[in-house]
Amino acid sequence: LNIASSSSIRSSSCRPLPCGNTANAMNMVPVVLLVAVLCVAMSALAAAVVDGCNLTAGFTKVDIPESSFVVQSPYNVPVDQRYRNDAATGVRTFWVYADDKPFNTVTPTNPRTEVRIRGYDYSSGVWQFEGYGYVPSGTSGASVMQIHNENGGTPATAMMLHVYNGTLRYYSGEVVEDCVYDRWFRLNVVHDVGASTVSVFVDGAPRLVDVAVKPTESHYFKFGVYMQHHDRSGCMESRWRNVSVYTKPY
């Protein structure tokens, strides 16, 4: 894959990673190979586990139109150069480069290509995000899913899930899931607003349970890729399908 120096004409999703830097890519080869070997073993083990847990039982599915899946991507390039929604497969592919612009000319935040689910902000009850995610080998230093608080809220997020070198983490800290590279995983995130807690499940298994979060006025879900501040690759990519939102009152 030949990547031109100008970010405005780079239109393919990231393969290989990191994009456009051969030296860095070669340096990452041993790490990527080691992670790939470990992931094969872990995926084989996970495939042997049958999940009989219906995490959405008791919830009501929210009917969200496609128009509410609003893409935020670098302001200086067309959306289709950082995002693809394949109607045939239902897979949404997000990618962003480390030197991309923010999603508008006002914010000083890092580059991102994310969907912000608009029109379904919530301030009470229990809300659940469910989706199948996929992170290609090499992507590092990116948030792939978050619960965002209202604009101007402190803190800005109730929860973020970052990928660093093949590991999914709660922000930059606690491990949520090892070996997420090159496989589909089911992610369920449950936010109990009244209790101010968040729980995270991967492939039906609890990974974080009732983690305390700071209450703010309202919240909404986001997913895709949003560059973070360390261990980041030159290009970051994630794919998502079958994303749904559920809710239940107290």
Side-chain angles (χ1 to χ4, degrees):
L1 176 65
N2 292 322
I3 305 297
S5 58
S6 171
S7 62
S8 64
I9 62 174
R10 294 179 296 189
S11 60
S12 298
S13 58
C14 1
R15 300 176 189 85
L17 296 173
C19 309
N21 190 326
T22 304
N24 286 345
M26 292 302 294
N27 289 337
M28 289 183 67
V29 166
V31 175
V32 171
L33 287 176
L34 176 59
V35 170
V37 170
L38 291 173
C39 285
V40 168
M42 292 296 290
S43 296
L45 179 61
V49 178
V50 177
D51 171 32
C53 181
N54 180 8
L55 294 171
T56 61
F59 285 78
T60 300
K61 186 175 182 179
V62 180
D63 185 14
I64 301 178
E66 181 61 31
S67 60
S68 290
F69 289 80
V70 178
V71 179
Q72 297 176 339
S73 59
Y75 71 81
N76 63 324
V77 296
V79 172
D80 63 6
Q81 291 187 15
R82 298 294 184 270
Y83 170 77
R84 181 171 59 249
N85 184 8
D86 189 329
T89 63
V91 174
R92 303 173 191 268
T93 303
F94 306 77
W95 65 100
V96 73
Y97 296 91
D99 60 352
D100 271 339
K101 300 292 186 182
F103 75 96
N104 64 39
T105 58
V106 177
T107 179
T109 57
N110 284 345
R112 73 184 75 203
T113 303
E114 292 182 300
V115 156
R116 185 258 207 251
I117 299 179
R118 179 170 292 168
Y120 296 87
D121 298 15
Y122 58 92
S123 57
S124 64
V126 184
W127 289 72
Q128 181 172 175
F129 171 97
E130 180 179 66
Y132 289 79
Y134 184 102
V135 180
S137 295
T139 287
S140 185
S143 168
V144 294
M145 188 271 166
Q146 58 175 309
I147 301 174
H148 205 285
N149 297 329
E150 74 278 2
N151 290 340
T154 304
T157 60
M159 186 221 66
M160 298 180 79
L161 295 175
H162 298 177
V163 172
Y164 295 103
N165 301 311
T167 298
L168 188 66
R169 294 182 178 272
Y170 177 63
Y171 290 93
S172 298
E174 186 173 351
V175 172
V176 174
E177 181 80 354
D178 285 317
C179 296
V180 296
Y181 279 162
D182 300 329
R183 67 178 179 94
W184 288 100
F185 57 91
R186 178 162 62 95
L187 179 69
N188 293 75
V189 176
V190 180
H191 185 192
D192 187 327
V193 178
S196 297
T197 60
V198 168
S199 298
V200 178
F201 302 80
V202 177
D203 294 327
R207 294 293 185 253
L208 299 174
V209 178
D210 292 339
V211 175
V213 297
K214 184 177 179 180
T216 62
E217 291 182 7
S218 63
H219 319 274
Y220 55 88
F221 296 121
K222 302 184 77 175
F223 61 99
V225 280
Y226 173 30
M227 188 177 79
Q228 298 305 301
H229 302 285
H230 62 88
D231 294 319
R232 56 200 187 195
S233 51
C235 181
M236 292 141 275
E237 178 181 340
S238 75
R239 305 168 199 169
W240 290 88
R241 60 180 173 85
N242 301 114
V243 170
S244 300
V245 172
Y246 299 82
T247 187
K248 65 178 179 180
Y250 290 117

